[in-house]
Amino acid sequence: MSASRRSGTTDELGPEEPERDGADLLAALLDGMDAALCAFDADGIVTHWNREAERILGWTAAEAVGRRGFAGWAVRTADAAEVEARLMSAMTAPGRQVHEFALLTKDGGRVLVRTQSAAVRGPDGKPAGVYCAFSEVHAQIDLERSIALSEALFEDASWGVVLVDADLRPAVVNAYAARALGIGRTAVLGRPLGDLLVQGVEELESALTHVLAEGAPPAPAEMWVSVRTADGERRRCWRSGFLRLASPLAEEPVPLGVGWLFLDITEARQSEQEAALLRFRSNQLHRAGRAAAECEDPGEAATVHLDFALAGFADHALIDRVAGGAVADGDGPVRLVRAAGTPSGAPGPSVHADKAGLPVPYGDGHPALQCVARAGSVRADAGDGGPEAARAWALARQWPGDTVHALCTVLRSRGRTLGVVTFLRGAGRSRFERADAVHAEDVAVRIAAALDLADAQEGPRQA
């Protein structure tokens, strides 16, 4: 300290500030360590003993400093020579030495500790003593297990693990998660979730924000998302669990981000959905059969089957009969007459068409005419031309203007074609798939049987 500071005056550095002695600073650093630490000089005399060492063994620094080795107080006399030799061997060995042995507490108990010891060099570079950091073995094992668990999760886990920072950006991603997201492990880091997912981003970000603010939810959540792949977008279902990550070093919980663990259960969920859909459709067919059996008019029974089939399946439906009666396979071009249909403006039960028997003006190549020619199902879609183009496509085929997807299924009975049943979906529904066509064919068989019975009761229909 300068003379001016000793006299109480000030200089250009500011007012007088107390200087901290180096020994006090060293003692404060040692006492603030999380690990227990002691040090020995070249003769094996204890020179340093911090508070964590006092907590583990119960001996205070005043009781420990100045003793020669651990014999008779911190180690059993029978073990003292071996323990001292192992500790002091660090003076001549390169790097750190790791050992495990039992120490004695002040109250006579025994504690198994793991030590790391290394030489302390003097000003001349020669060994002047040894420092020894130690901790209880179970605490060390817990730490090693935590580290091993973290490494295993981010390398070998059979489910996705993503650490998301407080800005909702991935900070660490394991191999499973990278494959699920369709991107490399390093390429995903720091990118917004919106760059990684096509759909489901809002739901996922909402969940992450909730976890940061409120903590982990009590149970896993299932989320449907769409990811980009080389083959286009793929819809996936991920069962997700969330954990809020807080710093263990802060006095108050400071959120570091969210641990997001997920498992792809798409196939299981799709199987469950398909099974549930199959059960629903089977129940509908059963209910329709029971209801149709109570109809005296077979024509009414046909519309009952149609109405039951619409539930959860399509928005509109039409029944077109072959003009002049049923035709055998291979007969020439046919004309179709509207027999029944659902209202196009609002939902409602099917209604029978008028008795005029005028053919529906279907153009060449119409899906219904193709259906009759092939004696099989035909699917058609408006495409991606936009709402106006879709409306024009539907109206040109004599369908309601909101139609986007269509499925035409032939009505067959006793080896003859009676007509076509057409199911129509709007933009709010997905396109018809093969499973939908199978269900439509089951419905068509029942409708065709009812119409064939109606023809038998009424006699041959006139063109």
Side-chain angles (χ1 to χ4, degrees), residues 83-175:
V83 170
E84 183 174 350
R86 292 166 69 181
L87 288 176
M88 300 308 291
S89 66
M91 290 184 61
T92 57
R96 291 179 296 177
Q97 303 293 306
V98 178
H99 303 286
E100 289 184 6
F101 45 74
L103 296 181
L104 296 178
T105 63
K106 188 175 182 180
D107 58 7
R110 300 184 70 192
V111 178
L112 184 63
V113 299
R114 179 174 295 177
T115 67
Q116 294 187 43
S117 54
V120 177
R121 305 288 174 179
D124 56 357
K126 297 181 179 180
V130 173
Y131 80 83
C132 173
F134 63 91
S135 60
E136 297 175 79
V137 167
H138 70 81
Q140 183 71 19
I141 292 176
D142 288 344
L143 175 60
E144 292 179 0
R145 284 173 177 162
S146 297
I147 295 173
L149 174 61
S150 298
E151 292 180 350
L153 286 175
F154 287 108
E155 293 296 335
D156 306 322
S158 57
W159 57 86
V161 182
V162 181
L163 295 190
V164 182
D165 63 22
D167 295 326
L168 305 186
R169 295 172 183 254
V172 185
V173 177
N174 76 341

Side-chain angles (χ1 to χ4, degrees), residues 54-429:
E54 177 182 344
R55 185 194 68 79
I56 294 176
L57 298 179
W59 301 98
T60 66
E63 294 170 321
V65 174
R67 290 180 181 263
R68 183 181 181 85
F70 285 154
W73 63 287
V75 173
R76 293 191 311 171
T77 303
D79 300 332
E82 180 187 357
V83 170
E84 183 174 350
R86 292 166 69 181
L87 288 176
M88 300 308 291
S89 66
M91 290 184 61
T92 57
R96 291 179 296 177
Q97 303 293 306
V98 178
H99 303 286
E100 289 184 6
F101 45 74
L103 296 181
L104 296 178
T105 63
K106 188 175 182 180
D107 58 7
R110 300 184 70 192
V111 178
L112 184 63
V113 299
R114 179 174 295 177
T115 67
Q116 294 187 43
S117 54
V120 177
R121 305 288 174 179
D124 56 357
K126 297 181 179 180
V130 173
Y131 80 83
C132 173
F134 63 91
S135 60
E136 297 175 79
V137 167
H138 70 81
Q140 183 71 19
I141 292 176
D142 288 344
L143 175 60
E144 292 179 0
R145 284 173 177 162
S146 297
I147 295 173
L149 174 61
S150 298
E151 292 180 350
L153 286 175
F154 287 108
E155 293 296 335
D156 306 322
S158 57
W159 57 86
V161 182
V162 181
L163 295 190
V164 182
D165 63 22
D167 295 326
L168 305 186
R169 295 172 183 254
V172 185
V173 177
N174 76 341
Y176 182 105
R179 290 193 301 270
L181 293 168
I183 194 170
R185 293 181 64 179
T186 56
V188 71
L189 302 182
R191 297 180 61 177
L193 295 174
D195 292 350
L196 308 175
L197 301 176
V198 181
Q199 295 179 350
V201 178
E202 296 80 4
E203 183 181 3
L204 177 57
E205 289 184 340
S206 176
L208 294 172
T209 302
H210 172 81
V211 173
L212 281 172
E214 304 294 337
E222 294 183 5
M223 297 184 176
W224 283 92
V225 300
S226 294
V227 297
R228 298 182 180 90
T229 67
D231 300 326
E233 297 180 8
R234 296 182 63 189
R235 188 161 171 78
R236 314 302 296 169
C237 182
W238 292 342
R239 176 177 290 165
S240 302
F242 302 93
L243 299 170
R244 181 167 61 177
L245 305 179
S247 173
L249 304 179
E251 294 183 4
E252 298 293 334
V254 177
L256 297 178
V258 176
W260 171 30
L261 294 82
F262 67 90
L263 185 66
D264 193 321
I265 58 171
T266 306
E267 293 184 2
R269 283 294 168 266
Q270 287 178 340
S271 297
E272 291 176 2
Q273 291 177 352
E274 291 172 359
L277 182 60
L278 182 60
R279 286 194 301 270
F280 173 76
R281 289 178 175 176
S282 297
N283 288 336
Q284 286 296 97
L285 289 174
H286 174 73
R287 293 173 60 197
R290 294 286 299 272
E294 301 301 323
C295 297
E296 295 183 4
D297 179 7
E300 182 183 353
T303 59
V304 166
H305 282 293
L306 189 66
D307 291 335
F308 272 92
L310 277 179
F313 184 69
D315 297 313
H316 305 291
L318 308 169
I319 296 177
D320 295 325
R321 298 293 308 276
V322 173
V327 295
D329 294 343
D331 285 359
V334 299
R335 294 177 300 169
L336 296 176
V337 177
R338 181 63 41 82
T342 56
S344 60
S350 303
V351 293
H352 292 275
D354 56 43
K355 301 295 184 178
L358 297 176
V360 183
Y362 289 151
D364 293 339
H366 191 281
L369 297 177
Q370 294 181 36
C371 178
V372 172
R374 299 177 185 178
S377 298
V378 175
R379 287 176 284 176
D381 299 283
D384 300 326
E388 292 302 324
R391 180 176 176 80
W393 174 85
L395 295 178
R397 286 157 180 78
Q398 310 301 314
W399 293 331
D402 58 351
T403 299
V404 175
H405 311 290
L407 171 62
C408 297
T409 303
V410 67
L411 298 173
R412 299 273 295 176
S413 179
R414 294 188 293 166
R416 301 167 304 145
T417 298
L418 279 65
V420 177
V421 58
T422 302
F423 296 99
L424 306 172
R425 289 178 176 175
R429 294 179 181 267

